[in-house]
């Protein structure tokens, strides 16, 4: 398995397929690079070099006790992109991975990044604070922490239902998709998953978004039950200098999997613009 060892000794697992312009995929909580299967296959067939890593504590990367914060996540990505000598890259992040993308691009991406894509992303900030009074109450994130810490196997099973919109009338439920989400989640470390809740909910990406010069595409489902569209996607696109928003009526949080054909088409169009 391909891994790099970053400064603190953590081993970061990654997949690196093909040649051509690189596209780097950043996964959501509590998953792994495997969550990008539909995109990796599609863009490989389109002649791109596709890379997906497992965030520290997730998937096949080291199950570290520490470093589960956005600055460290972005620094890990910076070490990976340097090790692979990635230039003119497109960075695509889903959910928590969207936060990782914009922090990486803002802090480390100068001279290496061509474009960025935020899919169902947690940017600019999810939690309710004095500066973000319409955010999600902390009690909701405390419930996610409690479920993760005390009953993770069942909690992760249950989480797939709203994640993919399988609780909506007329939804076609795929048990395979649910099982694959659970498989990825249970590969990771409980401590990493617990700590990551703070990282994805309380990190404020406002200044990161404002500072990014490259084109940014924001894709968001209007029926996202995990990362509400009005709270995130609508706000994020207004903060970037060169942003474009595409929203999808009825699409769920996990739309890169359930609506892969649509998402891939719009991603490809943006990359080729």
């Amino acid at each position: 398995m391909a891994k790099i060892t970053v400064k603190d000794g953590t081993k970061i697992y990654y997949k690196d397929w093909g040649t051509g312009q690189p596209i780097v995929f950043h996964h959501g909580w509590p998953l792994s690079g495997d969550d990008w299967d539909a995109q990796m296959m599609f863009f490989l067939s389109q002649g791109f070099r596709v890379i997906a890593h497992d965030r520290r504590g997730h998937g096949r990367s080291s199950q570290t006790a520490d470093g589960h914060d956005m600055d460290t996540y972005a620094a890990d990505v910076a070490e990976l992109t340097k090790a692979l000598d990635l230039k003119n890259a497109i960075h695509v992040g889903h959910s928590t991975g969207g936060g990782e993308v914009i922090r990486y691009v803002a802090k480390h991406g100068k001279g290496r990044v061509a474009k960025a894509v935020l899919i169902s992303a947690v940017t600019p900030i999810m939690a309710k604070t004095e500066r973000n009074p319409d955010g999600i109450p902390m009690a909701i994130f405390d419930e996610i922490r409690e479920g993760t810490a005390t009953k993770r196997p069942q909690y992760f099973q249950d989480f797939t239902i709203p994640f993919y919109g399988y609780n909506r009338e007329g939804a076609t439920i795929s048990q395979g998709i649910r099982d694959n989400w659970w498989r990825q989640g249970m590969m990771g470390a409980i401590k990493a998953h617990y700590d990551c809740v703070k990282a994805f909910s309380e990190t404020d990406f406002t200044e990161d978004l404002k500072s990014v010069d490259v084109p940014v595409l924001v894709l968001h489902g209007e029926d996202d039950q995990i990362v509400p569209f009005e709270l995130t996607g609508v706000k994020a696109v207004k903060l970037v200098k060169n942003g474009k928003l595409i929203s999808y009526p009825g699409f769920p949080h996990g739309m890169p999997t359930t609506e892969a054909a649509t998402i891939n088409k719009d991603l490809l169009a943006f990359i080729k613009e």
Side-chain angles (χ1 to χ4, degrees):
M1 293 197 300
K3 293 184 178 181
I4 65 159
T5 303
V6 299
K7 290 173 184 173
D8 71 351
T10 301
K11 289 180 168 55
I12 303 295
Y13 169 86
Y14 67 93
K15 293 178 275 193
D16 180 5
W17 305 338
T19 57
Q21 186 177 18
I23 307 176
V24 184
F25 294 97
H26 305 240
H27 65 79
W29 176 94
L31 303 171
S32 74
D34 292 352
D35 205 45
W36 291 108
D37 282 355
Q39 285 69 44
M40 296 277 284
M41 289 291 283
F42 175 79
F43 285 98
L44 182 65
S45 74
Q46 294 290 318
F48 291 91
R49 178 183 178 186
V50 292
I51 297 118
H53 67 290
D54 294 356
R55 188 171 299 118
R56 65 167 56 217
H58 295 64
R60 290 141 294 202
S61 291
S62 297
Q63 295 199 359
T64 57
D66 303 309
H68 308 296
D69 59 84
M70 281 293 166
D71 284 341
T72 306
Y73 295 159
D76 289 346
V77 173
E79 291 200 55
L80 177 63
T81 57
K82 185 177 180 181
L84 299 180
D85 194 28
L86 302 182
K87 294 170 183 171
N88 194 36
I90 293 97
H91 283 261
V92 181
H94 177 248
S95 196
T96 301
E100 181 178 277
V101 163
I102 212 68
R103 179 60 55 91
Y104 162 74
V105 175
K107 302 295 185 188
H108 307 280
K110 193 169 184 62
R112 290 191 178 273
V113 178
K115 297 179 180 181
V117 183
L118 309 178
I119 304 179
S120 314
V122 297
T123 52
I125 182 172
M126 288 185 68
K128 183 176 182 177
T129 65
E130 286 186 9
R131 291 181 59 188
N132 190 43
D134 57 345
I136 297 170
M138 192 58 66
I140 300 296
F141 301 113
D142 288 341
E143 187 269 332
I144 296 173
R145 272 185 279 264
E146 176 71 11
T148 300
T150 64
K151 52 184 178 183
R152 187 169 68 140
Q154 187 59 52
Y155 187 74
F156 279 9
Q157 286 275 358
D158 297 341
F159 204 86
T160 61
I161 296 291
F163 193 95
Y164 292 114
Y166 288 158
N167 53 351
R168 297 310 197 205
E169 186 176 350
T172 302
I173 299 172
S174 167
Q175 190 60 44
I177 287 174
R178 294 188 64 199
D179 290 348
N180 191 44
W181 195 101
W182 186 87
R183 173 191 69 84
Q184 292 177 71
M186 295 306 295
M187 284 172 68
I190 190 169
K191 176 68 160 57
H193 293 160
Y194 183 91
D195 289 353
C196 187
V197 177
K198 180 180 178 68
F200 76 62
S201 63
E202 297 181 49
T203 305
D204 190 338
F205 300 97
T206 300
E207 296 307 315
D208 302 282
L209 290 159
K210 288 179 179 178
S211 72
V212 168
D213 292 320
V214 300
V216 178
L217 175 65
V218 177
L219 304 180
H220 218 110
E222 293 177 18
D223 192 33
D224 191 325
Q225 299 172 64
I226 308 299
V227 179
F229 170 58
E230 296 288 343
L231 182 62
T232 52
V234 170
K235 293 182 178 182
V237 76
K238 294 176 181 176
L239 291 168
V240 294
K241 296 170 186 173
N242 184 3
K244 176 182 179 180
L245 171 67
I246 303 176
S247 65
Y248 306 92
F251 279 22
H253 186 64
M255 65 186 188
T257 297
T258 60
E259 306 292 343
T262 299
I263 300 305
N264 292 348
K265 175 176 65 70
D266 289 340
L267 274 174
L268 183 62
F270 173 70
I271 290 168
K272 288 189 169 182
E273 279 177 1

